[in-house]
Amino acid sequence: MADLEGVKIAKDYHVDVPFANNEPFYVKGANNLDWGMKKHLSNIFNKKSGNTVMFAFDHGYFMGSTAGLERLDLVIPKLLPNIDVLMGTRGALRTCVDPANGKGIALRATSGSSMLNEDLSHEVLAVDIEDAIRMNADCLAIQTFIGADGQLSSLENLSKAVNLGQRYSIPVMGVVAVGKQMERTPRFFKLATRILAELGANIIKTYYCEDFEEVVAACPVPIVVAGGKKLPEEEALTLAYNSIKGGAKGLDMGRNIFQSTHAVEMSAAIRKIVHEGYTDKEAYEFFQDAINK
Ligand code: 5RP
C-alpha cells in the first residue's frame, strides 16, 4: 500500500461531469456479460475496428500434421505481427508457442475425431475449465454438428462449456461444422448459427454463404468466418472482403494462410481488409506488391 507521507486531500470531483464509463460494450450481444467476459472479448475483437484476425492452426486435433503445419514452431512466430488471436489446441500452444506472444487465445476444447473416421460428428468436451484458465484462454472453441448424427452430444458439449464459461468468465465460441450431409445453404447457416447463439455461445464461427447478411442479422452474437479449403490468394481475399462487408466481425483463417506460398504477406493482406477497410482488390494489390518487393 502507498506510504502515508505527503497525502493530499481529494478535491476535484467534477460534479458537473456525467459518469464517464457508461458506454455500451462494443461486442454484439455482450452488453450484459460480466467484466471478465468483456475483458476476454476485448482480447479477441479490436476495439477500434470491432473485428478480429484469428489464425487457425487447430487442424491437428483430428488431421494430425497437415500440409503447411508440419512445424508449428516455425510457422507461428512469423505470422504474429499480422494476427490478433491464436486458435489452437492446448498441446500445440504449450509445446510450440511462446507464451509471451501478446495475442488472444481461442482454445480448441473439443476432440474425439480423426481423419480415419467416416463420421466426424462425435466429439467430447476434452479440455476442463481449470486448464482453460491455466492457458489464459480468451474463448473455448466447441465444435458442433447441426443435422448430423452427433448433434445431441455436440450441443451437450456446447451447453456444458457455456455453463462453465459463465461460471469462470470465459467466452465460448460455437464452431459450426459442415459435413458431407450438411449443405452450405443460407437456411442451414441461419439455423446453425442461431441455435448456437440461443444456447449461449458468445461468438460463432461459421462459413460464408449467399445471403450472409441475413445470417449475421439473425445471429445476436458476432460471427467469425472460417476460411475453408485453400483457394487462390485473390479468391481468398474476396472471401474475406465479402465476409466483412456482409457483417462478419472477423476471419478465422488457417489453410488460406499457412498453405499460401506467401503466408506472411497473405496474413497482412487479410489484416488490411479486417482492420483497415481495404477492398479485396486493394488487398490483392497490397499482397502482390508485398511479394514482389
Ligand atoms: C479445423 C478448424 C479450423 O479452425 C477452421 O476450419 C479454420 O481453418 P481453415 O481456414 O483452414 O478452414 O476448425 O478443424
Side-chain angles (χ1 to χ4, degrees):
M1 87 176 71
D3 65 356
L4 291 181
E5 201 180 322
V7 174
K8 292 189 186 307
I9 306 302
K11 59 181 174 42
D12 295 336
Y13 294 97
H14 305 284
V15 291
D16 56 333
V17 178
F19 182 64
N21 187 35
N22 250 3
E23 286 305 304
F25 193 61
Y26 68 98
V27 175
K28 187 175 182 183
N31 231 20
N32 299 326
L33 295 179
D34 172 63
W35 192 91
M37 291 285 256
K38 291 175 179 175
K39 178 66 178 76
H40 280 306
L41 289 169
S42 76
N43 293 343
I44 294 171
F45 296 102
N46 177 285
K47 189 170 184 180
K48 189 158 165 278
S49 69
N51 296 339
T52 187
V53 176
M54 283 189 184
F55 174 58
F57 56 94
D58 58 325
H59 304 63
Y61 96 96
F62 80 102
M63 295 170 99
S65 67
T66 185
L69 290 183
E70 295 86 347
R71 288 289 302 275
L72 292 172
D73 57 316
L74 302 179
V75 169
I76 291 170
K78 61 187 182 183
L79 299 174
L80 289 178
N82 300 324
I83 60 174
D84 304 302
V85 177
L86 293 164
M87 178 170 177
T89 62
R90 58 181 166 179
L93 289 162
R94 279 203 169 101
T95 55
C96 300
V97 180
D98 176 2
N101 57 69
K103 303 299 172 183
I105 300 296
L107 185 62
R108 163 64 64 177
T110 56
S111 68
S113 310
S114 89
M115 293 296 278
L116 300 180
N117 298 91
E118 186 56 32
D119 172 7
L120 294 173
S121 73
H122 293 83
E123 295 195 353
V124 294
L125 180 54
V127 179
D128 74 18
I129 197 70
E130 286 164 12
D131 209 32
I133 294 168
R134 279 184 217 106
M135 297 292 292
N136 204 15
D138 291 300
C139 70
L140 302 173
I142 308 292
Q143 201 79 10
T144 62
F145 303 91
I146 303 298
D149 189 43
Q151 173 178 286
L152 174 60
S153 58
S154 72
L155 293 181
E156 185 182 20
N157 293 340
L158 184 86
S159 299
K160 282 180 182 169
V162 169
N163 293 338
L164 289 165
Q166 286 295 120
R167 189 180 307 162
Y168 295 98
S169 277
I170 298 182
V172 168
M173 177 163 75
V175 179
V176 174
V178 279
K180 296 186 186 60
Q181 69 275 40
M182 304 169 219
E183 338 119 44
R184 296 178 179 220
T185 61
R187 178 172 171 268
F188 170 74
F189 288 122
K190 280 179 201 166
L191 173 73
T193 54
R194 182 59 176 264
I195 287 175
L196 302 193
E198 296 266 359
L199 296 184
N202 308 104
I203 308 167
I204 309 293
K205 179 169 75 147
T206 188
Y207 294 85
Y208 182 76
C209 66
E210 259 177 60
D211 301 333
F212 183 69
E213 298 80 359
E214 294 177 359
V215 175
V216 169
C219 183
V221 295
I223 286 182
V224 174
V225 170
K229 68 182 189 325
K230 177 71 178 71
L231 300 166
E233 277 73 3
E234 190 169 10
E235 286 179 39
L237 291 171
T238 297
L239 167 64
Y241 174 67
N242 288 341
S243 300
I244 297 295
K245 190 161 64 111
K249 300 313 284 178
L251 275 297
D252 174 60
M253 282 206 168
R255 287 162 289 179
N256 278 291
I257 292 176
F258 63 72
Q259 289 178 351
S260 169
T261 45
H262 297 87
V264 173
E265 295 83 355
M266 189 58 185
S267 60
I270 289 164
R271 185 169 194 82
K272 291 289 185 187
I273 293 171
V274 171
H275 292 306
E276 299 181 34
Y278 274 43
T279 66
D280 48 348
K281 303 282 174 284
E282 290 165 340
Y284 188 58
E285 277 167 25
F286 168 86
F287 173 76
Q288 288 180 303
D289 291 347
I291 65 175
N292 293 321
K293 259 186 193 147

